[in-house]
Amino acid sequence: MTKILGYARVSTAGQDLDAQLVALAQAGVGPDQVFTDKLSGAVSTDRPGLTAMLHYARDGDTVVVTAIDRLGRSVAEVTRTIAGLGERRIVLRALREGVDTGTPTGRAVAAIMATLAELELELGRERRAASRDSRRARQLPATKPAKLSLERQQQLRRLAETGEPVHELAKAFGISRATAYRYLSTPILSPQQESMR
């Protein structure tokens, strides 16, 4: 005999499951068929209630959630859970979104959601890669300070010896404070010594 199972989750201990439990009861889920998790929303957090429900559910059962995002804290996790339920022929009903994989339309919507989730993951990877490349391109001049000629190094030292603040000198010479300190703490090399480095 097939069963209607419910799953409810809140992300923090301070939140309350009551509203979800009421919605699940109104959807026909018996109180002894509800699995819950009340835990941190971190992606890596174990969800014993969800694990127990997935282990308990059988072919032909229906899993009801108040919203699709209750099934996980990331798009990838939600997508995997939906796909896993589908492979086991377990119907998923998400009340807020109106998804019911027991109907052809519901299965189509779930497939579209899975496709969009994969697209979102791929776009996210592309955006992160583009962002990293952009940061690297912008930081390249800043991370590779301009070398000061021997004359400019001597000028930097003379000004530092007069008590001029190093951060002001660094700004005036177009170098970072760390580079200015490095020049001030190392001996000045002649052009011949510099070429031998």
Side-chain angles (χ1 to χ4, degrees):
M1 182 172 154
T2 61
K3 296 180 179 174
I4 299 177
L5 310 173
Y7 177 67
R9 176 181 62 80
V10 289
S11 299
T12 64
Q15 290 179 327
D16 193 304
L17 288 166
D18 291 348
Q20 291 180 60
L21 297 177
V22 168
L24 292 175
Q26 290 172 346
V29 181
D32 58 336
Q33 298 297 314
V34 176
F35 296 81
T36 62
D37 282 317
K38 197 168 190 176
L39 39 84
S40 163
V43 173
S44 61
T45 302
D46 290 332
R47 293 171 184 79
L50 179 61
T51 302
M53 186 217 36
L54 293 173
H55 181 72
Y56 182 80
R58 297 288 176 260
D59 185 342
D61 286 351
T62 299
V63 170
V64 182
V65 291
T66 57
I68 215 97
D69 66 355
R70 298 299 84 198
L71 294 173
R73 292 296 293 162
S74 71
V75 172
E77 186 179 3
V78 170
T79 303
R80 280 193 304 270
T81 304
I82 292 172
L85 291 170
E87 288 167 8
R88 294 171 57 198
R89 295 191 183 125
I90 296 169
V91 174
L92 171 66
R93 285 178 50 212
L95 303 177
R96 184 177 66 195
E97 293 85 359
V99 173
D100 182 344
T101 61
T103 67
T105 303
R107 285 190 293 276
V109 168
I112 291 167
M113 288 173 68
T115 302
L116 292 174
E118 287 300 318
L119 176 63
E120 179 58 30
L121 285 173
E122 185 61 34
L123 291 173
R125 282 191 288 268
E126 288 176 10
R127 283 193 296 266
R128 287 189 296 277
S131 177
R132 277 192 306 273
D133 292 345
S134 174
R135 281 195 309 274
R136 285 183 189 136
R138 286 193 311 267
Q139 289 176 352
L140 190 59
T143 57
K144 192 172 182 184
K147 286 190 175 180
L148 295 182
S149 67
L150 181 60
E151 184 181 319
R152 297 280 283 162
Q153 289 179 47
Q154 291 169 338
Q155 186 181 18
L156 175 70
R157 285 175 189 274
R158 282 195 303 270
L159 289 169
E161 287 167 4
T162 66
E164 199 70 37
V166 175
H167 71 276
E168 292 293 333
L169 290 172
K171 194 184 296 183
F173 280 79
I175 57 176
S176 69
R177 274 194 301 184
T179 301
Y181 280 114
R182 192 174 67 245
Y183 277 128
L184 293 171
S185 66
T186 56
I188 296 178
L189 299 176
S190 68
Q192 292 83 9
Q193 291 171 318
E194 186 70 40
S195 66
M196 293 171 64
R197 287 179 74 186

